[in-house]
Amino acid sequence: MLRHLFFSLSLASACLLTGCHNEKHFINDSDYRLKVENDFAEKKTILKNGNLFEIFNTEMTAQEKEALQFLYAYMPLSDIADNSGDFFLENIRLSFKIREASSWGKSIPEDIFRHFVLPIRVNNENLDNSRAYFQNELWPRVKNLSMHDAVLETNHWCHEKATYTPSDSRTSSPLATIKTAYGRCGEESTLLVAALRAIGIPARQVYTPRWAHTDDNHAWVEAWVDGKWCFLGACEPEPILNLGWFNSPASRGMLMHTKVFGSYSGKEEKMIQTANYTEINIIENYADKSSVTVTVKDDKGNAVEGANVEFKLYNYAEFFTVYKQKSNAQGQVSLSAGLGDMMVYVSNGDKFGFRKVSFGKEKTVEIILGHNVNDAYCENMDIVPPAENTKLPSVTEEQRNENDIRLHHEDSIRNAYIATFSNRESIDKFAKENSLKNEDIEGFIIKSRGNYAEIMEFLSNSSKNEMYKKAIELLKNITDKDLRDTPCSVLEDHLYNTPNDASAEYVLCPRVDNELLTPYRSFLQKEIPESLKSEFTSNPQTLVKWCSDSITVRNDLNKGGAPTSPIGTWRCRVVDSQSCEIFFVAAARSLNIPAWKDAVTGNIYYTDNGKTHQVDFEISETSKTPEGTLKATYKPIPRLNDPKYYTHFTISKYEEGSFKLLNYPENATWSSLLKNGLKIEEGYYMLTTGSRLANGSVMSNVSFFTVEKDKETKIELTMRDNAEEIRVIGNFNSELKYTDITTKTETSILSTTGRGYFVVGILGTGQEPTNHALKDIEIKKEEFEKWGRKMILLFPDEKSYRKFSPTDFPNLPSNIVYGIDTNNAIRNEISQNMKLSNGGNLPIFIIGDTFNRVVFQIDGYTIGTGEQLIRTINGL
């Protein structure tokens, strides 16, 4: 109470000094304003290092000060540590300016503006100066439009800037996405939310943590338009709101989340309240829902308070946690979700239990803590996703045609920008001018896309400084996304401040985890006192101890943010555990100590005098965790000789009450990992397997086992057999004609394929579902070529074909023939003779034969298209 009184008096004094005592409040709800003041004061008390709150000495209005306090009270630690106060104040002023300038600004309620316009952060992206850039470029296009039309126009603008392409888990900033001209759905939706907020329209990112019916997740956008939240696909403009390719998949969803900046009390169902955001559940905007209450009991039937309760969806061959909560005094946790199945896992101490829960069929369930850690146990579960219940708004033919014309024009704008990227001819010229080998540098420059000038400058300078080979080694050890958004100055910081004989992978490489690359090396070499440098290099364990003693770990204060940079960590000294780990590795490498984070387990290691040590910040001295050997037998089921990791099975290790997934490479299989024995840390594990059926259901198996030090553990990898037999599911006239792209003449399916089976696909050029499908087919290139039959991929019209860029899919099978579906004859034939589960949305694929029988068909958004096609082909 005294602390709050002192803070209030301080605030009053500050207002007197700045003349703000007669000004309007930004937060008019006095109770909420008091909460923000208290939370802000607590944040200041926690973050004592680094002069992180110096901006509050700047002259500003009362509204600006309250808005700034709101941001600082709830922003993740990394935002405060890695960004200046001037950055946030400038963004606040831009938000206030656009609220006054826009016709819709005064109609937006205070709490909606506070949570959905003011915040810069959307999810876990790297922050940038996009708000100022977006206002300058976008505002002239929308200032005279209605709020509704401004939302649609903004999405068209975003489509000019970027299109969908898969990428790694680090979320690029909005400006980096524009520079690259593409991004995954999380980056596209971050771009659109940032753009809408920049013009003063409330917006939020919506995501399904995982689909229930197929292996993937997705993110899109909701915009607040004239008092209602409406949805749209980011960078995928439709003629109207509440329409996207994902209407059908979303109707089968089980959870839709949004993270709202700060403490938020809207009408939506609140799931989680953290120190940084409020997570709300908006499944009812997309699908039917029902609630289930889980009661956790011990083996004597007593309710257990404080038990860990995890609701899990089967996806990518694991049971992925989509909601986690502690049980209340009655041992209960409740959740509303779509009408399908989840696994619910509960734990308390070394006891755990789990069972399938069916939303819509069950209202209350009990789960007994009936298993002990180290019990050997297995169980089958049949998981059924929600049924499809698509609700599509109507679109007129005129609206559709006008939108298609705009999309084509926007593609041409984006492609004109992409055409400015460095090409093979310019790279060859650059290589000759700088005495570089074309074959060494071409791949890096092509992958850098809009960042090519920075990468070329880095390579040119390295050649001049006779550091070319070392520069190539550095580039080999960073990601494709790093090539797209890292400035030359950052790369040079690491190149020129690392010994020539240092390990490229464990010292020279600036990347540790999934953080944005920063120029930490020269900074740490300068800032770490010489006495500490000597201690750390002579005994790296003292660096571990220094991190433990000098850095305060507060995982609760960086929820939803990016990791704090090593520079920010040095200054702030209060970070989350991931940022602490990144700092340790960065500091070690800056002092020429080999260190790394293991990609599979997430463990941190360093080497000293040739010996590998595992880092534990809570233990003064440790060595690498003892290992045993895990070997699995597998009895093949039809059409599956070698199960794949993430597709058919995964392994998770028990840690502190939960099972943590081991992140083996995506190309790992049973034969490469488990057939001949896998070295793995001792501990308790869960093996999950699953066979997904055509309707989205999964026949799963979970088994639990213990791996002991220096011993071999033998288990069985059980893939439950898919009882569905390949059967004739429709008919298709193989004599239908299409226009061959190469010859420009009409020809028939039959004359192209000859007698036998074939694949026909109809593509939606540039659309995310089609891009996913083509990428999936690329993965199976060798198997399609071995099959040898023709695959005819058709475009709906000439315009769609011109939009297609084969270079975006360089590894498609060579037995593909491209064509145009003249007058939509083939698409209409499929639609009339097949039951299309997703309403005939593109892409459409069938496997048929020249006896006019169809044995396989999918349409719309489906993950694993290549895998499904090959599995069916192998069974013919």
Side-chain angles (χ1 to χ4, degrees):
M1 189 67 179
L2 287 174
R3 185 178 72 182
H4 170 63
L5 177 61
F6 173 77
F7 177 78
S8 297
L9 289 171
S10 299
L11 177 61
S13 300
C15 287
L16 286 170
L17 289 172
T18 59
C20 68
H21 55 289
N22 291 322
E23 296 184 30
K24 295 179 180 179
H25 286 294
F26 171 66
I27 304 174
N28 285 292
D29 182 333
S30 59
D31 290 338
Y32 192 84
R33 188 166 67 249
L34 178 61
K35 174 177 174 52
V36 171
E37 290 170 356
N38 287 334
D39 290 344
F40 172 73
E42 183 177 358
K43 186 73 73 71
K44 283 189 70 176
T45 301
I46 294 169
L47 303 179
K48 298 177 181 178
N49 299 303
N51 297 321
L52 300 175
F53 298 86
E54 190 175 5
I55 185 61
F56 287 91
N57 297 324
T58 302
E59 185 174 342
M60 64 186 82
T61 68
Q63 290 194 64
E64 289 170 348
K65 186 176 286 290
E66 288 180 14
L68 196 59
Q69 287 175 344
F70 170 71
L71 291 183
Y72 270 75
Y74 302 115
M75 69 174 69
L77 293 173
S78 57
D79 290 357
I80 299 177
D82 287 330
N83 298 277
S84 71
D86 290 329
F87 167 76
F88 294 107
L89 182 57
E90 174 62 20
N91 275 274
I92 287 170
R93 288 171 173 166
L94 289 170
S95 299
F96 287 174
K97 178 182 176 182
I98 207 71
R99 180 170 62 175
E100 293 300 317
S102 64
S103 61
W104 49 79
K106 293 179 177 61
S107 68
I108 301 171
E110 177 185 305
D111 63 330
I112 297 294
F113 181 88
R114 181 171 65 235
H115 294 283
F116 301 106
V117 175
L118 185 74
I120 303 102
R121 176 159 298 289
V122 178
N123 201 324
N124 63 347
E125 76 280 7
N126 304 117
L127 300 185
D128 62 17
N129 294 310
S130 60
R131 187 160 297 197
Y133 173 84
F134 292 170
Q135 281 190 8
N136 288 334
E137 184 166 334
L138 183 56
W139 178 242
R141 285 176 59 160
V142 300
K143 63 181 180 180
N144 296 321
L145 300 177
S146 67
M147 198 175 194
H148 174 278
D149 290 347
V151 171
L152 293 174
E153 184 65 27
T154 300
N155 205 18
H156 279 287
W157 180 83
C158 288
H159 181 242
E160 290 177 10
K161 304 298 182 184
T163 190
Y164 174 81
T165 294
S167 65
D168 65 41
S169 63
R170 177 166 69 84
T171 304
S172 295
S173 71
L175 290 180
T177 298
I178 287 177
K179 193 173 188 179
T180 299
Y182 65 53
R184 55 179 169 79
C185 60
E187 291 163 330
E188 288 181 306
S189 53
T190 295
L191 169 62
L192 177 56
V193 170
L196 289 169
R197 290 180 181 178
I199 60 169
I201 294 180
R204 61 196 189 190
Q205 184 186 60
V206 179
Y207 61 100
T208 177
R210 296 291 175 96
W211 293 121
H213 67 286
T214 190
D215 292 335
D216 204 4
N217 60 2
H218 191 51
W220 57 93
V221 173
E222 285 188 347
W224 190 90
V225 180
D226 300 325
K228 295 181 180 179
W229 287 104
C230 305
F231 71 84
L232 62 164
C235 305
E236 298 170 337
E238 294 285 354
I240 59 175
L241 296 175
N242 296 325
L243 179 64
W245 64 261
F246 51 88
N247 282 66
S248 294
S251 74
R252 305 189 72 183
M254 293 200 69
L255 279 180
M256 308 298 177
H257 292 178
T258 262
K259 292 178 179 176
V260 184
F261 186 94
S263 178
Y264 171 73
S265 299
K267 298 177 181 178
E268 302 91 345
E269 178 185 353
K270 183 188 292 188
M271 297 184 65
I272 299 171
Q273 181 67 67
T274 75
N276 306 120
Y277 64 82
T278 307
E279 188 165 82
I280 58 176
N281 183 8
I282 52 175
I283 181 65
E284 63 186 355
N285 292 359
Y286 303 93
D288 297 329
K289 70 169 187 175
S290 183
S291 179
V292 167
T293 298
V294 173
T295 302
V296 184
K297 292 188 175 182
D298 61 23
D299 52 10
K300 296 180 181 178
N302 301 311
V304 178
E305 181 180 4
N308 173 49
V309 181
E310 300 179 41
F311 290 79
K312 294 173 173 284
L313 277 174
Y314 181 91
N315 195 288
Y316 284 126
E318 69 163 321
F319 281 100
F320 178 82
T321 300
V322 294
Y323 180 58
K324 184 176 181 179
Q325 193 60 272
K326 296 288 186 182
S327 59
N328 62 18
Q330 291 73 45
Q332 295 180 337
V333 172
S334 297
L335 177 67
S336 296
L339 308 183
D341 295 344
M342 290 192 196
M343 179 226 265
V344 179
Y345 166 87
V346 301
S347 66
N348 189 47
D350 288 338
K351 305 278 287 186
F352 70 92
F354 64 94
R355 61 158 287 183
K356 181 178 80 171
V357 172
S358 298
F359 287 81
K361 296 180 180 179
E362 299 174 289
K363 291 293 185 182
T364 60
V365 298
E366 292 183 357
I367 303 182
I368 307 299
L369 294 165
H371 297 290
N372 295 300
V373 172
N374 293 323
D375 282 354
Y377 177 77
C378 67
E379 184 172 317
N380 291 333
M381 275 189 287
D382 294 333
I383 305 296
V384 180
E388 184 179 324
N389 185 22
T390 309
K391 298 174 183 177
L392 294 173
S394 59
V395 178
T396 66
E397 185 176 351
E398 182 181 5
Q399 286 175 316
R400 176 58 63 195
N401 289 337
E402 181 182 349
N403 196 69
D404 287 346
I405 291 171
R406 290 207 62 182
L407 293 178
H408 178 63
H409 176 64
E410 290 151 14
D411 286 337
S412 68
I413 293 173
R414 187 177 60 258
N415 289 332
Y417 164 65
I418 293 172
T420 67
F421 295 173
S422 194
N423 55 30
R424 286 177 171 80
E425 182 178 346
S426 62
I427 294 171
D428 185 57
K429 180 181 177 182
F430 168 78
K432 291 177 181 177
E433 291 174 347
N434 289 273
S435 301
L436 303 174
K437 294 182 179 179
N438 188 291
E439 60 269 25
D440 287 345
I441 65 173
E442 182 178 298
F444 298 126
I445 298 174
I446 293 294
K447 289 177 181 178
S448 68
R449 292 179 66 82
N451 197 46
Y452 67 90
E454 299 288 337
I455 301 302
M456 293 172 84
E457 181 183 0
F458 173 69
L459 289 167
S460 176
N461 291 344
S462 72
S463 179
K464 294 173 185 176
N465 293 308
E466 299 182 352
M467 300 283 277
Y468 168 60
K469 290 184 178 179
K470 186 177 172 184
I472 295 296
E473 287 301 310
L474 191 156
L475 295 181
K476 286 180 179 178
N477 282 281
I478 62 177
T479 68
D480 290 353
K481 187 169 288 182
D482 294 333
L483 293 170
R484 300 196 294 266
D485 67 5
T486 306
C488 170
S489 59
V490 172
L491 297 173
E492 290 190 337
D493 176 80
H494 297 280
L495 179 66
Y496 299 124
N497 292 290
T498 304
N500 289 332
D501 60 350
S503 163
E505 184 177 4
Y506 297 133
V507 176
L508 173 64
C509 175
R511 168 147 308 290
V512 180
D513 196 359
N514 65 341
E515 77 283 8
L516 181 73
L517 296 188
T518 55
Y520 61 76
R521 201 171 303 249
S522 59
F523 175 88
L524 293 178
Q525 289 172 353
K526 178 182 177 182
E527 292 294 323
I528 297 175
E530 290 299 326
S531 58
L532 283 180
K533 287 181 185 176
S534 178
E535 286 185 37
F536 296 162
T537 53
S538 61
N539 180 11
Q541 189 62 33
T542 60
L543 174 57
V544 178
K545 187 176 187 305
W546 185 92
C547 290
S548 179
D549 294 342
S550 304
I551 298 174
T552 300
V553 173
R554 290 292 301 268
N555 287 320
D556 58 316
L557 296 180
N558 206 51
K559 299 286 187 180
T564 304
S565 72
I567 295 175
T569 299
W570 177 264
R571 289 172 174 164
C572 181
R573 305 291 172 92
V574 181
V575 297
D576 61 293
S577 55
Q578 182 193 20
S579 301
C580 182
E581 293 171 347
I582 291 171
F583 174 83
F584 169 81
V585 175
R589 291 178 178 177
S590 298
L591 300 176
N592 199 25
I593 302 168
W596 65 95
K597 184 170 185 176
D598 185 81
V600 174
T601 65
N603 294 334
I604 305 296
Y605 298 98
Y606 70 86
T607 59
D608 183 26
N609 293 320
K611 183 178 180 181
T612 299
H613 298 262
Q614 184 175 333
V615 172
D616 188 329
F617 295 111
E618 297 178 1
I619 299 175
S620 59
E621 185 72 43
T622 184
S623 57
K624 192 174 180 181
T625 301
E627 295 179 331
T629 301
L630 177 64
K631 184 178 289 188
T633 59
Y634 169 63
K635 183 179 180 180
I637 63 173
R639 303 185 296 278
L640 183 58
N641 293 322
D642 194 9
K644 290 182 60 179
Y645 205 74
Y646 301 117
T647 301
H648 305 110
F649 75 98
T650 56
I651 304 169
S652 301
K653 186 182 181 185
Y654 182 86
E655 292 183 4
E656 299 179 351
S658 298
F659 283 91
K660 179 183 176 182
L661 180 70
L662 300 183
N663 295 299
Y664 288 105
E666 291 186 7
N667 61 356
T669 63
W670 161 72
S671 63
S672 67
L673 281 181
L674 299 173
K675 181 179 180 180
N676 299 313
L678 171 71
K679 287 292 184 182
I680 192 170
E681 292 181 349
E682 66 176 2
Y684 190 50
Y685 291 87
M686 175 173 67
L687 171 71
T688 303
T689 68
S691 299
R692 194 180 287 278
L693 309 184
N695 65 5
S697 298
V698 177
M699 301 168 63
S700 74
N701 174 271
V702 288
S703 57
F704 302 86
F705 56 89
T706 300
V707 174
E708 298 181 67
K709 176 184 176 182
D710 298 331
K711 293 184 179 180
E712 183 177 271
T713 299
K714 292 184 178 180
I715 61 172
E716 182 178 355
L717 193 157
T718 302
M719 291 299 305
R720 298 173 61 197
D721 194 3
N722 183 346
E724 287 190 340
E725 295 183 1
I726 296 176
R727 62 189 188 279
V728 176
I729 57 175
N731 55 74
F732 174 81
N733 182 4
S734 62
E735 295 188 50
L736 285 173
K737 293 185 176 181
Y738 69 96
T739 301
D740 185 280
I741 291 296
T742 303
T743 65
K744 308 296 183 183
T745 60
E746 280 199 337
T747 186
S748 69
I749 301 288
L750 176 60
S751 62
T752 302
T753 64
R755 290 293 178 184
Y757 283 102
F758 55 81
V759 172
V760 169
I762 304 175
L763 310 181
T765 310
Q767 296 174 5
E768 180 174 349
T770 290
N771 290 351
H772 264 298
L774 294 178
K775 292 291 184 182
D776 288 342
I777 289 172
E778 281 187 309
I779 294 171
K780 296 293 181 179
K781 175 182 179 179
E782 291 185 5
E783 292 177 68
F784 282 115
E785 289 181 338
K786 183 179 179 180
W787 179 50
R789 302 293 302 165
K790 294 295 184 184
M791 303 174 64
I792 303 174
L793 300 187
L794 302 174
F795 303 91
D797 48 42
E798 179 74 19
K799 181 173 62 177
S800 298
Y801 166 65
R802 290 198 300 268
K803 289 166 56 179
F804 180 71
S805 176
T807 58
D808 290 341
F809 308 96
N811 295 313
L812 287 172
S814 58
N815 46 324
I816 286 177
V817 175
Y818 294 102
I820 295 172
D821 184 14
T822 312
N823 299 321
N824 287 318
I826 293 174
R827 184 175 185 178
N828 291 337
E829 172 78 358
I830 296 172
S831 299
Q832 292 169 7
N833 293 288
M834 302 293 300
K835 183 179 179 180
L836 301 179
S837 58
N838 287 310
N841 290 334
L842 299 180
I844 298 172
F845 287 88
I846 67 168
I847 298 177
D849 69 4
T850 45
F851 294 98
N852 296 338
R853 298 178 297 185
V854 176
V855 296
F856 174 88
Q857 171 273 319
I858 53 174
D859 64 293
Y861 180 71
T862 305
I863 299 302
T865 298
E867 170 75 20
Q868 293 184 52
L869 288 167
I870 284 296
R871 188 167 63 235
T872 303
I873 287 167
N874 289 340
L876 295 174

